[in-house]
Short mmCIF file of all heavy atoms in Angstrom, two decimals:
data_model
loop_
_atom_site.label_atom_id
_atom_site.label_comp_id
_atom_site.label_asym_id
_atom_site.label_seq_id
_atom_site.Cartn_x
_atom_site.Cartn_y
_atom_site.Cartn_z
N VAL A 241 23.36 5.06 -3.03
CA VAL A 241 24.21 5.97 -2.31
C VAL A 241 23.55 6.26 -0.94
O VAL A 241 22.37 6.53 -0.90
CB VAL A 241 24.46 7.31 -3.07
CG1 VAL A 241 25.39 8.19 -2.30
CG2 VAL A 241 25.01 7.01 -4.43
N SER A 242 24.35 6.28 0.13
CA SER A 242 23.74 6.57 1.44
C SER A 242 24.80 7.21 2.37
O SER A 242 26.00 7.01 2.20
CB SER A 242 23.20 5.30 2.07
OG SER A 242 24.20 4.32 2.24
N VAL A 243 24.30 7.91 3.33
CA VAL A 243 25.09 8.55 4.40
C VAL A 243 24.48 8.15 5.74
O VAL A 243 23.25 8.19 5.89
CB VAL A 243 25.13 10.06 4.28
CG1 VAL A 243 25.99 10.68 5.43
CG2 VAL A 243 25.70 10.47 2.94
N SER A 244 25.30 7.74 6.70
CA SER A 244 24.81 7.25 8.00
C SER A 244 25.57 7.79 9.18
O SER A 244 26.78 8.05 9.09
CB SER A 244 24.87 5.71 8.02
OG SER A 244 24.15 5.10 6.97
N LEU A 245 24.83 7.98 10.29
CA LEU A 245 25.41 8.23 11.58
C LEU A 245 25.22 7.01 12.44
O LEU A 245 24.14 6.42 12.45
CB LEU A 245 24.73 9.42 12.30
CG LEU A 245 24.99 10.81 11.73
CD1 LEU A 245 24.14 11.86 12.50
CD2 LEU A 245 26.46 11.20 11.85
N ASN A 246 26.27 6.61 13.25
CA ASN A 246 26.17 5.36 13.95
C ASN A 246 25.82 5.49 15.44
O ASN A 246 25.91 4.48 16.17
CB ASN A 246 27.48 4.60 13.81
CG ASN A 246 28.66 5.34 14.46
OD1 ASN A 246 28.47 6.41 15.09
ND2 ASN A 246 29.86 4.83 14.28
N GLY A 247 25.45 6.66 15.93
CA GLY A 247 25.05 6.83 17.31
C GLY A 247 26.16 7.26 18.24
O GLY A 247 25.92 7.39 19.45
N LYS A 248 27.37 7.53 17.71
CA LYS A 248 28.51 7.90 18.56
C LYS A 248 28.88 9.37 18.42
O LYS A 248 29.99 9.78 18.81
CB LYS A 248 29.70 7.03 18.22
CG LYS A 248 29.47 5.56 18.50
CD LYS A 248 30.63 4.70 18.17
CE LYS A 248 30.37 3.24 18.46
NZ LYS A 248 31.55 2.36 18.08
N LEU A 249 28.02 10.19 17.84
CA LEU A 249 28.29 11.64 17.70
C LEU A 249 28.37 12.24 19.11
O LEU A 249 27.44 12.08 19.90
CB LEU A 249 27.16 12.29 16.90
CG LEU A 249 27.38 13.75 16.49
CD1 LEU A 249 28.50 13.87 15.50
CD2 LEU A 249 26.06 14.31 15.90
N PRO A 250 29.45 12.89 19.46
CA PRO A 250 29.64 13.41 20.85
C PRO A 250 28.54 14.28 21.34
O PRO A 250 28.11 14.22 22.51
CB PRO A 250 30.96 14.13 20.79
CG PRO A 250 31.73 13.52 19.65
CD PRO A 250 30.69 13.16 18.65
N VAL A 251 28.00 15.16 20.49
CA VAL A 251 26.95 16.10 20.93
C VAL A 251 25.57 15.46 20.97
O VAL A 251 24.65 16.09 21.46
CB VAL A 251 26.93 17.35 20.04
CG1 VAL A 251 28.25 18.10 20.11
CG2 VAL A 251 26.65 16.96 18.56
N ALA A 252 25.41 14.24 20.40
CA ALA A 252 24.11 13.59 20.38
C ALA A 252 24.30 12.09 20.44
O ALA A 252 23.96 11.36 19.48
CB ALA A 252 23.32 14.01 19.19
N ARG A 253 24.90 11.60 21.52
CA ARG A 253 25.14 10.16 21.60
C ARG A 253 23.79 9.40 21.66
O ARG A 253 22.86 9.79 22.38
CB ARG A 253 25.97 9.82 22.84
CG ARG A 253 27.37 10.29 22.73
CD ARG A 253 28.30 9.56 23.69
NE ARG A 253 29.70 9.89 23.47
CZ ARG A 253 30.49 9.26 22.62
NH1 ARG A 253 30.01 8.22 21.93
NH2 ARG A 253 31.75 9.57 22.46
N GLY A 254 23.76 8.31 20.93
CA GLY A 254 22.52 7.54 20.86
C GLY A 254 21.73 7.85 19.63
O GLY A 254 20.70 7.16 19.35
N LEU A 255 22.08 8.88 18.87
CA LEU A 255 21.34 9.26 17.65
C LEU A 255 21.88 8.50 16.46
O LEU A 255 23.05 8.70 16.06
CB LEU A 255 21.42 10.77 17.42
CG LEU A 255 20.81 11.26 16.09
CD1 LEU A 255 19.33 11.01 16.09
CD2 LEU A 255 21.13 12.73 15.84
N GLU A 256 21.08 7.63 15.87
CA GLU A 256 21.43 6.95 14.61
C GLU A 256 20.56 7.55 13.50
O GLU A 256 19.41 7.86 13.71
CB GLU A 256 21.19 5.47 14.72
CG GLU A 256 22.05 4.76 15.70
CD GLU A 256 21.74 3.22 15.72
OE1 GLU A 256 21.77 2.63 14.64
OE2 GLU A 256 21.46 2.71 16.83
N ALA A 257 21.15 7.76 12.34
CA ALA A 257 20.42 8.32 11.23
C ALA A 257 21.00 7.82 9.88
O ALA A 257 22.20 7.54 9.81
CB ALA A 257 20.41 9.85 11.30
N SER A 258 20.16 7.77 8.88
CA SER A 258 20.61 7.44 7.51
C SER A 258 19.72 8.06 6.51
O SER A 258 18.48 8.17 6.74
CB SER A 258 20.70 5.92 7.34
OG SER A 258 19.41 5.37 7.34
N VAL A 259 20.30 8.53 5.40
CA VAL A 259 19.54 8.98 4.23
C VAL A 259 20.13 8.26 3.03
O VAL A 259 21.37 8.03 2.97
CB VAL A 259 19.57 10.49 4.06
CG1 VAL A 259 18.82 11.18 5.18
CG2 VAL A 259 20.99 10.99 4.00
N GLY A 260 19.31 7.93 2.03
CA GLY A 260 19.85 7.21 0.89
C GLY A 260 18.99 7.35 -0.32
O GLY A 260 17.83 7.78 -0.28
#
Side-chain angles (χ1 to χ4, degrees):
V241 182
S242 60
V243 179
S244 302
L245 289 175
N246 64 5
K248 298 180 181 179
L249 189 67
V251 296
R253 289 199 173 273
L255 174 64
E256 297 180 53
S258 67
V259 293

